[in-house]
Amino acid sequence: MKVAVGTKNKAKVGAVEAIVKQFFPEATIESIDVPSDVSIQPFSNEETRQGAINRARNTMMKTNADITFGLEGGVDEIEGTMYCCNWGAVNLKDGTIIASSGAQFALPEEIARELRIGKELGPVMDVYTNIENIRHHQGAVGIFTHNLIDRKAMFEHIVKLLVGQVLFKMSRDQNEQM
């Protein structure tokens, strides 16, 4: 089975590798850079979800894998509080798209202010923490949860939801063929 993920981000690729290998040990996993076709900083659950779907589709078009993943992080503002939101999608060879979201957590107002004026969370977090490329490691979630959850673990949860839904579909499809 060929699996591809539409990113070179280490945390996202690591999440796909960890979960896919648990359920499909024979899978080969490729990571490629593809566009999300949404804002560089998605600013709603809807836009973040669409970015994940677009990455999964764009990855399928470039790789023709059996299963492709798109993972996207964004922010969403609810009643004046900005939350980090995360979405994932899979694209199956038959054209099926499945999307799931993961944990959301509030960002401090000093970070939210920077995002509202058009900055992207990753570089803002690099400055805030004085750690380069934090999005490839613990991410904002690691910083703001005192490293109880890092970015890879957060995306592993989403990938596990997606793989579970793929397994359910495969089982259902097999039963319908009998």
Side-chain angles (χ1 to χ4, degrees), residues 39-59:
S39 305
I40 192 160
Q41 177 58 70
F43 226 88
S44 68
N45 265 296
E46 293 81 2
E47 185 179 17
T48 307
R49 176 182 172 273
Q50 191 60 57
I53 290 169
N54 293 346
R55 284 185 190 277
R57 282 185 178 141
N58 290 337
T59 303

Side-chain angles (χ1 to χ4, degrees), residues 1-3 24 56-57 60-61 64-69 89-98 162-163 165-170 172-173:
M1 171 185 288
K2 182 178 177 184
V3 175
F24 304 105
R57 282 185 178 141
M60 181 63 75
M61 287 189 287
N64 200 32
D66 298 300
I67 300 173
T68 60
F69 286 86
V90 292
N91 191 151
L92 306 180
K93 215 169 189 55
D94 69 3
T96 300
I97 299 278
I98 301 169
L162 294 168
V163 167
Q165 291 173 88
V166 167
L167 291 170
F168 174 78
K169 180 187 181 321
M170 291 167 72
R172 188 183 65 209
D173 290 353

Side-chain angles (χ1 to χ4, degrees), residues 60-125:
M60 181 63 75
M61 287 189 287
K62 280 193 168 186
T63 65
N64 200 32
D66 298 300
I67 300 173
T68 60
F69 286 86
L71 300 171
E72 191 75 15
V75 295
D76 193 25
E77 196 153 10
I78 303 169
E79 297 179 358
T81 300
M82 189 168 295
Y83 293 85
C84 206
C85 63
N86 301 278
W87 279 85
V90 292
N91 191 151
L92 306 180
K93 215 169 189 55
D94 69 3
T96 300
I97 299 278
I98 301 169
S100 288
S101 68
Q104 296 190 44
F105 59 94
L107 293 169
E109 182 56 30
E110 64 220 71
I111 301 298
R113 268 194 304 272
E114 295 293 307
L115 301 179
R116 286 186 197 106
I117 62 171
K119 295 183 180 177
E120 184 184 0
L121 182 58
V124 169
M125 289 303 300

